Amino acid sequence: MSHISDDSDRLVAVQNSEEFIHLRKVFRGFVFPMTVVFLSWYLLYVLASGWARDFMGTKIVGNINVGLVLGLLQFVTT
């Protein structure tokens, strides 16, 4: 039973360390803005697909249009 207590004490010590606090701050500073960017990018694609059909249907090369390229970029960003 003391083994579990020792592990808990170590985890609490790591969690309260300056390095871990800094790591969490940097992580949150990256993840939250990127989440907003990717959700906005996805919603923009969905809205453009529904209401900007002329723009999405603009041909780029041959049968490849803007909608297809943006749709494929959704896979890349996901």
Side-chain angles (χ1 to χ4, degrees):
M1 200 57 136
S2 69
H3 176 67
I4 293 172
S5 174
D6 292 341
D7 288 343
S8 295
D9 291 341
R10 275 189 271 162
L11 288 174
V12 169
V14 168
Q15 197 173 25
N16 292 330
S17 70
E18 289 295 322
E19 291 173 312
F20 190 75
I21 291 169
H22 175 70
L23 181 64
R24 276 195 326 214
K25 183 179 178 182
V26 170
F27 177 75
R28 287 181 181 152
F30 174 77
V31 169
F32 291 135
M34 292 312 289
T35 300
V36 170
V37 167
F38 286 120
L39 286 174
S40 300
W41 158 236
Y42 173 72
L43 289 174
L44 177 67
Y45 173 73
V46 170
L47 292 172
S49 295
W51 284 280
R53 292 183 181 266
D54 291 337
F55 170 71
M56 296 296 270
T58 303
K59 300 234 184 222
I60 297 176
V61 176
N63 289 330
I64 299 173
N65 60 22
V66 172
L68 181 61
V69 171
L70 294 180
L72 291 173
L73 287 174
Q74 286 292 320
F75 285 104
V76 172
T77 58
T78 298

